Amino acid sequence: MKRTIFIIVLFLLFLMGFFYYSKPTVIIHNKTSDDVFVFFGTSERGIEPDYEQIKQSRRALKIPHGKSIEVSISVADYFLRNGQVNIGWRVGGIAMPAIKRVGYSTFNIMPGTKYCTLGINIYNDKDEAFYQDNSLCIKSLEVDTSADN
């Protein structure tokens, strides 16, 4: 009995670790001379987000000048049908007088392991999204070409 419980617990720990380390991620680099405030959320393509998704995307993550942050999808996002990752940013501040520039990118959550990690460089005058070397993942991210990026 103890051995069975031990094996089940070990399997669950392995499964949790696998999902944690195999999530697609987006690394956002602040290469501006100001702070960047990032808004991150997930949704289903073509479906209005619910209240919790809107609430999640309203929380700003602050990236100081020269720093980077890493955001990834949750385990629940693995099971979204036609899932999307929406990332928006404001350079300089959150409120209108301090904002110098805004931008956004949309990524589709796709089955497969083509691109597990994406990077976004935010400069003073432009942004660039690029794919980084793969690691192990179940789902991958692709730049949404149908969005007006």
Side-chain angles (χ1 to χ4, degrees):
M1 181 68 175
K2 288 182 182 181
R3 182 178 174 162
T4 306
I5 291 173
F6 176 75
I7 290 172
I8 290 172
V9 168
L10 196 61
F11 176 73
L12 289 174
L13 286 173
F14 172 77
L15 198 61
M16 287 172 36
F18 179 74
F19 272 110
Y20 179 78
Y21 287 107
S22 67
K23 296 187 288 191
T25 58
V26 179
I27 301 171
I28 304 164
H29 308 277
N30 179 1
K31 298 190 180 233
T32 69
S33 54
D34 296 300
D35 291 337
V36 172
F37 295 88
V38 174
F39 301 88
F40 171 81
T42 57
S43 63
E44 287 192 52
R45 227 174 333 190
I47 297 177
E48 289 293 320
D50 63 20
Y51 178 74
E52 285 302 315
Q53 290 169 326
I54 292 171
K55 202 165 108 178
Q56 173 196 8
S57 67
R58 292 182 125 192
R59 289 188 213 116
L61 304 169
K62 181 180 177 181
I63 310 174
H65 162 69
K67 302 288 183 185
S68 301
I69 64 165
E70 186 175 307
V71 293
S72 61
I73 66 173
S74 69
V75 174
D77 296 330
Y78 274 105
F79 305 107
L80 283 176
R81 183 188 294 196
N82 297 321
Q84 281 188 319
V85 174
N86 304 298
I87 300 175
W89 54 87
R90 296 177 182 168
V91 177
I94 294 178
M96 192 54 194
I99 297 173
K100 296 180 179 176
R101 196 170 67 76
V102 299
Y104 74 93
S105 283
T106 302
F107 305 105
N108 295 323
I109 303 170
M110 308 293 289
T113 60
K114 191 171 183 182
Y115 300 112
C116 298
T117 306
L118 280 120
I120 300 175
N121 288 333
I122 301 173
Y123 298 98
N124 285 327
D125 58 344
K126 66 177 182 168
D127 315 308
E128 73 180 358
F130 57 94
Y131 297 108
Q132 294 188 328
D133 289 338
N134 285 28
S135 57
L136 175 69
C137 65
I138 298 172
K139 298 273 188 164
S140 62
L141 296 173
E142 277 186 14
V143 176
D144 185 7
T145 56
S146 67
D148 233 355
N149 292 336

